[in-house]
Amino acid sequence: MKAARVNAGFRIIDAAKLIGIGKDTLIKWEKNSGLVNPIMQQKISSIYKIPREYIFFGKILEFNSRKNEKEHKHERIENF
């Protein structure tokens, strides 16, 4: 979620104001975007002008874990 904000060109304070939340809440959500309800996910998607399906809404650790799984799967296929 943080990458989406940065790619959209928003500073944290500006994005929080547009979303209608405090910057501390946005910081917390960027660490664990699984806390963001579907209505707010859609609002963030609209503000950032990025489709919701392209923004990861979950814990950063889950994202990194999924990313690592895909990389290892790709390596296994190449080495087959």
Side-chain angles (χ1 to χ4, degrees), residues 39-54:
I39 292 169
M40 295 306 280
Q41 289 177 10
Q42 187 56 49
K43 188 171 185 177
I44 290 166
S45 169
S46 256
I47 290 166
Y48 293 177
K49 294 182 173 57
I50 298 173
R52 187 165 60 178
E53 54 273 7
Y54 294 140

